[in-house]
Amino acid sequence: MSAHLDPRLLRGFVTVAEELHFTRAAVRLHVAQQALSRDVRRLERELGAELFVRTTRQVTLTPDGERLLPYARRVLGAQDELLAAFGQARPLLVDLNSPGLVTPRRVLHEARELAPHHELMARYESGLTGAAGELLAGRLDASFGRFAGLDPALRAGLDHQPVRFEPMAVVLPEDHRLAAWESVPLAELAGESVYAGAGNPRTPEWTGLARLLFEGRGIDIAPPAPLAVGDEEFQRLMARTRNPVLAVVEFPALPSMVVRPLVDPVPLSPVSLVWRKGLTHPAFDALRRAAARLAAETGWLRRPEGAWVPAGDDVLMASHG
């Protein structure tokens, strides 16, 4: 065995081990699949061990590959820390969904305070499903959203940390019949069509949450609408359709619209910090610590008595709590 292993070979090995697919791993690393395959074969020769079982249908780790994986991750983590110490770490790319959402933005700002020498850059992917593909491809490091609402095939390559049970609300035109209420009982939405992102391929986890909440309450999900980018377009479109919009209580104020909390029961949107399994970055620990600190200090993970949370979400949030 060679006394000197190229870290690039280890990074290729770890990426294939996480994806169990050479093409997806090559996309994450921005290299040709053939070059990645050559690197893995070279690593196998240098270690004198077969690391993967390759068939036409799947790639799996051998026992030697399983044994190597934690060592390789530690080596790459140490390399990232060394580069960070000399100001050469790449930015940590953190998706906040959209600029107006308070919870992800507060976590990011807290993480920047905890890791002032690292660069944490905001991105906006609109929804967790949209971000999940970018996470798995390695083009994004972390995102926020409803982890239980992801397709199980996406969840298999990701991990999460519960951050908040966020109270939900409706956004209404200021002359809507419910706009004068301080809070809106769910029963008062019976007969309404409420916009919840139906048809948006980046946010099906949010539409799914709405479907569970509205079931049996006589509330319809509004049909798909053109995707509005930016506050001005969103306001124009909602003014035309006049549908209430399902949101969270800290949704940013917009002209001619009001935000009203939902009650009886208080529905909660489960928010997690989500990342690709095996992620190593010197600023990632700060992001996780920031999320945990804010959750503890603000009581974000406490639920009001009688609050509503889907059973499947409750299980996933509790299992990582």
Side-chain angles (χ1 to χ4, degrees):
M1 183 181 75
S2 170
H4 303 284
L5 285 178
D6 185 342
R8 187 189 83 252
L9 305 183
L10 291 176
R11 198 169 296 277
F13 160 73
V14 168
T15 307
V16 175
E18 290 171 357
E19 295 288 347
L20 294 179
H21 194 283
F22 275 82
T23 300
R24 289 197 299 266
V27 169
R28 268 179 58 182
L29 293 167
H30 306 288
V31 300
Q33 181 180 337
Q34 294 86 347
L36 178 59
S37 296
R38 285 196 300 271
D39 283 349
V40 170
R41 286 195 296 270
R42 177 182 161 191
L43 181 62
E44 288 177 322
R45 288 195 303 271
E46 294 196 8
L47 293 176
E50 185 178 14
L51 302 175
F52 296 102
V53 176
R54 309 161 177 83
T55 70
T56 56
R57 301 191 62 178
Q58 63 179 358
V59 176
T60 58
L61 281 165
T62 65
D64 281 331
E66 295 277 5
R67 188 158 60 96
L68 174 62
L69 187 57
Y71 291 105
R73 282 175 169 158
R74 287 201 293 271
V75 169
L76 294 174
Q79 183 190 38
D80 289 340
E81 290 178 8
L82 184 152
L83 292 174
F86 289 89
Q88 297 182 38
R90 66 173 180 80
L92 185 76
L93 302 180
V94 184
D95 169 44
L96 307 186
N97 295 158
S98 66
L101 293 182
V102 170
T103 300
R105 191 170 71 247
R106 285 189 64 183
V107 173
L108 178 61
H109 288 178
E110 178 80 6
R112 285 171 173 163
E113 293 292 324
L114 293 174
H117 302 298
H118 297 300
E119 187 64 74
L120 292 88
M121 297 290 295
R123 294 290 186 269
Y124 302 99
E125 295 291 339
S126 299
L128 183 58
T129 298
E134 298 297 289
L135 292 171
L136 292 171
R139 292 187 290 269
L140 189 67
D141 294 309
S143 186
F144 294 84
R146 180 181 169 236
F147 190 66
L150 291 178
D151 186 285
L154 293 175
R155 287 208 309 264
L158 302 171
D159 206 346
H160 80 117
Q161 174 180 319
V163 175
R164 185 177 187 181
F165 287 109
E166 193 160 17
M168 298 170 73
V170 281
V171 181
L172 303 163
E174 61 184 4
D175 59 351
H176 191 277
R177 66 181 181 87
L178 298 173
W181 296 44
E182 289 187 5
S183 57
V184 175
L186 272 167
E188 291 296 326
L189 288 175
E192 296 272 1
S193 289
V194 179
Y195 180 72
N200 184 345
R202 308 188 72 78
T203 61
E205 72 282 352
W206 181 251
T207 309
L209 182 65
R211 189 170 288 111
L212 292 171
L213 176 61
F214 297 165
E215 187 176 13
R217 302 182 192 273
I219 309 170
D220 294 325
I221 292 180
L227 182 61
V229 178
D231 289 349
E232 184 177 341
E233 282 297 284
F234 175 80
Q235 183 184 350
R236 183 188 63 80
L237 188 62
M238 292 303 104
R240 184 171 63 79
T241 64
R242 296 192 57 77
N243 292 127
V245 179
L246 189 66
V248 292
V249 293
E250 292 176 331
F251 190 86
L254 294 172
S256 303
M257 306 186 84
V258 297
V259 180
R260 296 293 181 257
L262 290 169
V263 294
D264 300 331
V266 174
L268 301 176
S269 169
V271 179
S272 288
L273 171 64
V274 182
W275 65 91
R276 181 180 65 258
K277 286 181 177 176
L279 172 66
T280 59
H281 190 285
F284 179 54
D285 178 63
L287 191 68
R288 294 194 64 181
R289 285 190 289 124
R293 178 184 293 185
L294 282 168
E297 290 177 352
T298 60
W300 277 353
L301 289 172
R302 289 198 299 266
R303 286 169 287 180
E305 185 175 352
W308 176 91
V309 179
D313 293 72
D314 214 11
V315 170
L316 274 179
M317 295 287 277
S319 67
H320 284 70

